[in-house]
Amino acid sequence: MTGQPLIGVTTYSTRARWGGVWDRHCSLLPTAYARYVQRAGGLMVLLPPDNPALAGAVAERLDGLVLAGGEDLDPALYGERPHPRTAAPVPERDRWELALLAAALERGVPLLGICRGMQLMNVHAGGTLNQHLPETVGHKGHNPRVGDFADHLVEPVAGTVTAHLMPAPCDVATHHHQGVGKVGPGLIASAHAEDGTVEALEYPWGQGCFAVGVQWHPEMRDDLRLVRGLVEMAGRRRGRSAAPAAGG
């Protein structure tokens, strides 16, 4: 490997206020994501919403990709009407990240989906979402305090990439009211909560890429195992792209 692998992280697209006077639409990301990638040895770059036609060009330049958390996906993407508790969609972000995800999978760019990012992976694969989990699981344990992260136990599925990186049940930081409904074709559930909620998805190793999504927020805790797995695979990709051609 030559140099740090370049890890792109998608951003929120929302209104923000700062400095006591400014109120503007922004592309932004909590600092925890940057620190999460940097602590694992990655070189982080922000990927705000852009023209979906440019997703391939962006993916070509990346060694790895993180699909960040954020706003609810548009239910129309998986053929449903909005639930009363589903927030207004952000179409420019949905279009951009779906194109970026497709481009990364096509090129074998290692990727990690976080919360919304995992849900995006499932919808892209043809799966659906449960638009309001409390109605299904009968409790608010996945999002007990709006605006704050809580912890609950997840158990990885043996034989998966997720279990390879996190072999034992552990507590994770959670803040989500939606979850996986039908798992998209080609994906496998690789971790569950105690109530049966799918907490991680991935494409099997046989697909030829590292593509893991988790419903929790690993960037909010000190556990770097997932992002180290991503950065390691991104470093291998960078090493291959930097290697001279045979006979060169």
Side-chain angles (χ1 to χ4, degrees):
M1 187 180 83
T2 57
Q4 295 173 270
L6 183 66
I7 310 296
V9 185
T10 59
T11 72
Y12 291 60
S13 181
T14 189
R15 198 100 186 157
R17 296 181 181 181
W18 72 98
V21 295
W22 299 107
D23 184 347
R24 295 286 187 272
H25 189 277
C26 296
S27 295
L28 55 83
L29 191 72
T31 303
Y33 283 96
R35 291 175 177 163
Y36 183 58
V37 171
Q38 291 162 352
R39 288 175 64 198
L43 183 64
M44 198 274 276
V45 61
L46 296 179
L47 301 175
D50 205 336
N51 182 349
L54 300 176
V58 172
E60 290 284 356
R61 289 165 170 77
L62 296 176
D63 301 311
L65 172 65
V66 175
L67 299 166
E71 306 90 350
D72 292 341
L73 293 168
D74 186 350
L77 294 171
Y78 47 96
E80 294 186 8
R81 294 181 177 274
H83 184 280
R85 299 295 296 273
T86 296
V90 184
E92 67 272 17
R93 185 177 181 191
D94 290 348
R95 290 191 296 267
W96 167 242
E97 293 186 8
L98 283 167
L100 197 57
L101 170 59
L105 290 172
E106 181 180 352
R107 291 162 176 78
V109 177
L111 68 93
L112 173 64
I114 294 176
C115 198
R116 167 195 158 95
M118 185 195 84
Q119 295 171 7
L120 187 87
M121 290 172 64
N122 193 51
V123 170
H124 172 265
T128 64
L129 300 182
N130 181 327
Q131 292 190 53
H132 195 54
L133 274 175
E135 293 182 352
T136 302
V137 300
H139 63 81
K140 297 182 179 179
H142 295 276
N143 188 16
R145 298 184 300 276
V146 176
D148 193 13
F149 292 92
D151 291 274
H152 71 65
L153 189 72
V154 299
E155 183 166 357
V157 175
T160 62
V161 177
T162 305
H164 173 73
L165 296 171
M166 304 174 59
C170 61
D171 285 325
V172 297
T174 182
H175 189 284
H176 64 101
H177 79 106
Q178 297 191 339
V180 168
K182 181 187 75 174
V183 175
L187 287 168
I188 59 173
S190 54
H192 296 88
E194 291 179 292
D195 61 14
T197 299
V198 174
E199 287 286 333
L201 292 171
E202 62 186 55
Y203 282 98
W205 275 114
Q207 297 284 337
C209 64
F210 177 101
V212 176
V214 296
Q215 185 60 73
W216 66 89
H217 283 265
E219 80 282 1
M220 296 307 301
R221 297 294 183 261
D222 289 331
D223 191 339
L224 299 179
R225 290 177 291 181
L226 289 168
V227 71
R228 281 175 175 156
L230 172 72
V231 170
E232 178 183 350
M233 295 303 295
R236 294 181 187 179
R237 173 180 170 80
R238 181 174 180 84
R240 288 194 300 268
S241 65

